[in-house]
Every structure is written in C-alpha cells, then in structure tokens.
Amino acid sequence: MLLPEAVAGLALHVPPGGALLTMRPLVYGYIRLSPADPQDIGDCLIRDLAAYAEREGLTLADVFTDRDAGIGDQFGRSGFVVMVETLRRPGVDGVLIPSLNHFSRFPGVHEAMRALIELETGARVFVMGHPREERHDRFGRTTGAGGYDPSTSP
C-alpha cells in the first residue's frame, strides 16, 4: 500500500480487534548501558520504551543499544552511530530515549547531542517523562517537570 507523501513519516497502527486504522509517528529507541548495570536492565528499558511509545501514540520500530566497556572505551558507541544514520531515512520521525543520560554521562553534553541529532537528521528527540528532567514541549520551549513554561511565569 503506497501512502501519500504527506503521511510518509507516519506508520499505520491497527489497534487490537481490528478497529480503525490510525497514523502514528515512527521512532527508534536508543539506550546506553554501563558495565555496572544489572544484566536484565536492557530488557527492562526496552519494555519501558515500548510502553511509553504506545501510550504517547508513537510506533517504536527498533531499539539501538550501546554497552560501554568501561573507562577509555573508544568503540562503545556503534549503536549510536547506526541510530543517527537510521534517523536520516525518509519516514523516520525521531528517537526515543529513557533519559538524556543515555546520550552522555556528562550533563553539559546532553543538549549538544540532542542538537546534533535534530540538526543533522531532522528527527526529533523524545525523552520519556522523568520528574527531575526538563523536557521540550511541541513548540520547542523548555518546560519544567510540571510541564509549565518558566518563561511565561510572572
């Protein structure tokens, strides 16, 4: 089935029971694991990403995973590189991550990584809700944990 160009970045979603078809943005997930993480944390994070995507009306196509080997690891980001290349494909709307910490251990690098992805690929970065983390609303403004825009406060 060919889709009109206007909806090429959306995925068909058939709800259980074969009800109405809906169009949902297509996203990929990304997680970065450290050697100190429990063995099953990767599977737990993937399930969390899938559940979040479902709740938010996104179609999660796949999840890229990097496993840090430790200090001085020069090759631990191959999943990130493949994810960025995948985000350049037509029809991909964005990447979903559990938190900005999955981009980098260093807080100052989080927004640089987000900007790199958004500028280089045109894809959006979706961050699962976290009460201590700032998020961006649909208009690009930074919002606090409560979802309010601090720049509009008196």
Side-chain angles (χ1 to χ4, degrees), residues 3 6 9 13 15 27 47-49 52 54 74 85 97 107-108 116-118 125-127 136 138 141 153:
L3 297 175
H13 175 70
V27 298
R47 282 192 302 272
D48 289 347
L49 288 174
Y52 182 86
E54 182 65 29
Q74 298 294 318
E85 289 303 315
I97 55 175
L116 169 78
I117 289 169
E118 291 177 347
V125 175
F126 297 90
V127 182
H136 285 72
R138 291 188 179 161
R141 297 179 303 223
S153 300

Side-chain angles (χ1 to χ4, degrees), residues 108-129:
V109 179
H110 295 163
E111 289 304 321
M113 299 285 279
R114 171 184 251 162
L116 169 78
I117 289 169
E118 291 177 347
L119 291 173
E120 289 293 319
T121 68
R124 293 177 55 194
V125 175
F126 297 90
V127 182
M128 285 180 25

